[in-house]
Amino acid sequence: MADVTAIIATPRKNGNCVAIVNRMVETLRAEGKTVDVFNLRDVQGSGCVACYACKKAGKCVRKDGITPILDSIAQSGSLIMAVPDYFGQPCSQYRVLEDRLYGFVGMNENGFFSTVPGKKAAVVVTSGSGVESDDVIRSVSKVLTNYLQAEVVGTMHYQERPDGPAAENPGALDEASALAKKL
């Protein structure tokens, strides 16, 4: 069981999400924490099929490349979610995973509850357009807070324009380290 699950939702191999999460992981490991890192670009999986079997099992019952990610989320105490902003929305790779998070949402006579509450979470959103990504940050944070009942301890928004690639920006990498230390 890892202390932290880090999810990189970008389709790019070496983009800003990757650079920021890599720095966060370095920081966490230097503090002695174990981290599972998943890049959704490399995962073969599909979204929720609304079978509702998760409501009996307490987790998604589908078996594909997303299964180990869901298992890691369930077992870890903290979560990093790094998502690029595509046209003011979270990218499609994230959305597939997000739909599968529904397996962690239980239902009873009082309404919805999380089967994996109490995690700390950090949200990283990157964009290359120069347009603010507040809606994407709110969207990802809302899922983690409202449905997984995680505590979002901090967010980071990195815009490649005008700041250049995150991997070459010491300020951005310092901000990533500071965010990781909150987990």
Side-chain angles (χ1 to χ4, degrees):
M1 172 176 90
D3 297 312
V4 181
T5 301
I7 299 167
I8 304 167
T10 182
R12 295 177 65 201
K13 187 174 185 175
N14 293 310
N16 293 318
C17 282
V18 174
I20 291 167
V21 170
N22 284 347
R23 178 53 64 93
M24 294 177 80
V25 169
E26 283 176 21
T27 301
L28 291 164
R29 288 183 175 154
E31 292 182 342
K33 294 186 178 177
T34 57
V35 185
D36 285 340
V37 181
F38 299 95
N39 191 321
L40 298 182
R41 176 180 81 77
D42 301 325
V43 173
Q44 294 294 318
S46 60
C48 178
V49 295
C51 68
Y52 289 92
C54 61
K55 301 308 155 224
K56 292 180 184 172
K59 65 179 186 174
C60 182
V61 300
R62 300 194 63 210
K63 303 295 181 211
D64 61 15
I66 294 176
T67 304
I69 300 170
L70 297 174
D71 290 344
S72 182
I73 292 170
Q75 295 171 7
S76 66
S78 296
L79 178 64
I80 298 168
M81 192 69 73
V83 182
D85 173 340
Y86 284 5
F87 296 101
Q89 302 289 321
C91 70
S92 63
Q93 290 80 3
Y94 166 77
R95 284 289 301 124
V96 169
L97 173 65
E98 182 183 81
D99 283 353
R100 294 282 290 279
L101 295 176
Y102 183 62
F104 294 130
V105 178
M107 293 185 280
N108 62 25
E109 64 279 353
N110 297 320
F112 293 105
F113 64 92
S114 172
T115 62
V116 294
K119 298 182 185 310
K120 291 183 178 182
V123 175
V124 175
V125 174
T126 63
S127 61
S129 66
V131 175
E132 283 299 320
S133 295
D134 294 343
D135 290 342
V136 176
I137 293 167
R138 275 192 296 275
S139 174
V140 174
S141 296
K142 179 180 175 182
V143 168
L144 297 176
T145 302
N146 293 353
Y147 298 102
L148 294 189
Q149 295 174 344
E151 174 193 0
V152 176
V153 296
T155 64
M156 177 177 177
H157 178 222
Y158 187 77
Q159 293 192 69
E160 187 164 346
R161 291 185 186 98
D163 296 327
E168 299 171 12
N169 186 313
L173 297 177
D174 288 345
E175 183 179 352
S177 289
L179 180 55
K181 289 178 181 183
K182 294 180 180 182
L183 295 174

